[in-house]
Amino acid sequence: MNRRWFAVLGAGFLIVPVSIIVALGTVPTKNAIVTAGFVLVPLSGILSVLGGLGVSRGNFEWYQFVGLSNDMFGFWFVAYAISSILADPSEFSSVFSLATVGLGCLSLALIGIDWLIGAPHFDIETYEG
């Protein structure tokens, strides 16, 4: 996989929330976690774009930008899933869906941690180019 796909994904993480804010004219404030998402997801997108473009700054390599992006998005979505489940635990299908997505995003965050520490469990060279 070409690392430039991280830039495409990051552009989506940046464009979608900003478009929602522009369309609504304000940041949605359903709860603090939703509001935080409208800050963290675009920041995650910027980091992913930097990583996808191969930017390295000091001792921070491109894959660490992508790892930090994964962490920001993954941990935010896990927090969102938990808060949504706690808000309305009576609807099993939504609880199951959110729990499944939350676990998936938790794995994304764990992959991000691995990339931040130098990717000892991933072959970063497969993303070069």
Side-chain angles (χ1 to χ4, degrees), residues 1 3-15 17 36-37 39-53 55 60-78 104-117:
M1 179 175 124
R3 77 168 169 241
R4 287 180 176 53
W5 283 108
F6 291 119
V8 173
L9 178 67
F13 280 179
L14 183 60
I15 291 169
V39 174
L40 292 177
V41 173
L43 286 175
S44 173
I46 291 168
L47 291 169
S48 192
V49 167
L50 290 173
L53 296 177
V55 173
F60 213 69
E61 297 296 327
W62 70 267
Y63 56 86
Q64 291 173 310
F65 281 110
V66 174
L68 187 56
S69 171
N70 286 354
D71 287 337
M72 289 175 76
F73 182 77
F75 286 130
W76 169 77
F77 206 100
V78 168
C105 286
L106 181 60
S107 67
L108 178 68
L110 293 174
I111 291 169
I113 290 171
D114 183 66
W115 284 39
L116 273 173
I117 62 172

Side-chain angles (χ1 to χ4, degrees), residues 81 84-101:
S84 296
I85 290 168
L86 293 175
D88 186 17
S90 62
E91 182 64 39
F92 177 75
S93 63
S94 66
V95 169
F96 180 74
S97 298
L98 283 170
T100 303
V101 171

